[in-house]
Amino acid sequence: MTKFADSKYVKALCDITFRSYDHGWDERNGGNVSLRLTAAELAEFDDLTEVKRTYDLGFDASELAGQYFLVTGSGRYFRNVIKRPELDSGLVKITVDGSQAELYWGFEDGAKPTSEFPTHLMSHIARLKVDPNQRVVMHCHPTNFIALSFTQALDERKLSRLLWQMQAESLVVFPEGVGIIPYMTPGTNEIGAKTAAKMADYRVVMWPHHGIFAVGADLDETFGLIETVEKAALIYSQIMAQGGQIKQRITDDQLKELAQAFDVEANPKFLA
Ligand code: 2HA
Ligand code: ZN
């Protein structure tokens, strides 16, 4: 009997949620993550035969009809997923009409998908159009990145350039830069739609005074992307803590050389 609970997907979710918590980015129930899976990938598991509950989605997710999502639970703590994934995460399938999600595994003590599930699903829809290999959406509260939303203008060009200038790795890992939405109330369809609109152009979106949304091909890559963004923000915090006097910096010419050397295209709106 091959059980989904023992799958590499649940193991990877446990690993990434705990590591994110351990970085200090998921106090209490902060953060949520979803991993898109296909029926073919799930065919080997014997314990996904029965719909245990259904959830109303509150928006039209029909573009994702038939797709499965392993997702963390509303109100659940990233710190705990590693100890009890069958309670704090669940595997759901989007119904044919796109109005509901059917639970096949997990959420055993009655939880439901994260309050940010609309943003996750709308972001999955947006990223599928850009790159069908992308299957992870992750949200968390990286401290230094959030702090930038207080001290910096909420300007995508300025913020992207600042993060690129903090370390050579930034431009290579997120050459398109980062998107920013206005401050909005979390957990709503409205913030979901705004975030997903940004996801047409960016894999990283800042939620000012709240956190980050990031997407990627798998959990490891998505977490690595968040780590790289947050490291750049941390370097900026340390520069300010050391007095803020920048004596030398990575120049635009050096950023262009970097893009060439690593064969990435820097967003031409941010680096011309
Ligand atoms: O899941 O982080 O934005 C809890 C949150 C909401
Ligand atoms: Zn949050």
Side-chain angles (χ1 to χ4, degrees):
M1 172 120 175
T2 313
K3 288 168 67 187
F4 185 69
D6 302 326
S7 68
K8 62 181 179 183
Y9 309 114
V10 173
K11 283 196 177 74
L13 184 80
C14 288
D15 178 57
I16 252 63
T17 47
F18 191 77
R19 282 178 199 282
S20 188
Y21 160 74
D22 209 30
H23 278 19
W25 304 340
D26 303 283
E27 66 291 338
R28 199 170 178 275
N29 65 321
N32 29 79
V33 57
S34 62
L35 165 65
R36 181 171 58 81
L37 293 164
T38 63
E41 285 164 324
L42 296 170
E44 65 177 291
F45 301 108
D46 308 309
D47 54 345
L48 306 177
T49 49
E50 173 195 336
V51 176
K52 298 181 192 302
R53 283 195 295 285
T54 57
Y55 309 99
D56 287 332
L57 292 174
F59 77 101
D60 177 12
S62 53
E63 287 182 65
L64 298 171
Q67 305 251 20
Y68 291 79
F69 293 89
L70 176 61
V71 61
T72 50
S74 177
R76 299 310 168 95
Y77 294 15
F78 266 24
R79 175 164 57 83
N80 292 335
V81 177
I82 196 166
K83 290 181 283 187
R84 33 181 250 183
E86 68 288 351
L87 271 56
D88 294 339
S89 68
L91 179 72
V92 299
K93 181 185 183 184
I94 308 303
T95 55
V96 175
D97 72 356
S99 70
Q100 291 187 314
E102 299 171 332
L103 178 68
Y104 280 86
W105 175 89
F107 294 151
E108 281 178 14
D109 62 352
K112 56 182 198 219
T114 168
S115 59
E116 307 297 1
F117 208 31
T119 298
H120 281 254
L121 294 181
M122 290 179 200
S123 297
H124 279 290
I125 290 170
R127 291 309 299 186
L128 267 167
K129 290 175 185 150
V130 180
D131 179 357
N133 290 323
Q134 291 189 348
R135 46 174 64 217
V136 171
V137 175
M138 184 164 181
H139 166 65
C140 60
H141 303 162
T143 314
N144 293 279
F145 187 62
I146 296 169
L148 289 180
S149 72
F150 293 88
T151 61
Q152 307 300 304
L154 298 180
D155 177 306
E156 288 165 347
R157 182 176 190 275
K158 286 185 181 149
L159 187 74
S160 298
R161 287 177 53 81
L162 176 74
L163 296 169
W164 286 349
Q165 286 164 351
M166 289 301 107
Q167 58 188 355
E169 210 187 352
S170 287
L171 182 85
V172 178
V173 176
F174 48 98
E176 75 273 45
V178 302
I180 307 175
I181 62 163
Y183 175 81
M184 296 173 75
T185 303
T188 62
N189 287 351
E190 290 71 28
I191 200 168
K194 268 269 195 264
T195 307
K198 286 292 171 193
M199 289 291 184
D201 297 316
Y202 301 99
R203 288 169 299 143
V204 174
V205 176
M206 173 186 265
W207 277 16
H209 322 318
H210 182 144
I212 193 169
F213 260 88
V215 298
D218 57 33
L219 288 161
D220 226 29
E221 185 194 282
T222 310
F223 189 60
L225 175 58
I226 296 173
E227 282 184 305
T228 309
V229 172
E230 171 61 6
K231 180 65 180 281
L234 173 62
I235 294 168
Y236 184 75
S237 295
Q238 290 303 309
I239 291 169
M240 291 298 123
Q242 290 178 20
Q245 295 296 319
I246 294 179
K247 308 280 191 208
Q248 50 277 319
R249 58 168 70 246
I250 303 177
T251 64
D252 277 14
D253 281 345
Q254 287 168 333
L255 286 175
K256 285 178 206 162
E257 275 176 42
L258 198 57
Q260 218 169 14
F262 284 86
D263 200 21
V264 296
E265 198 200 345
N267 189 328
K269 286 186 286 188
F270 303 163
L271 183 71

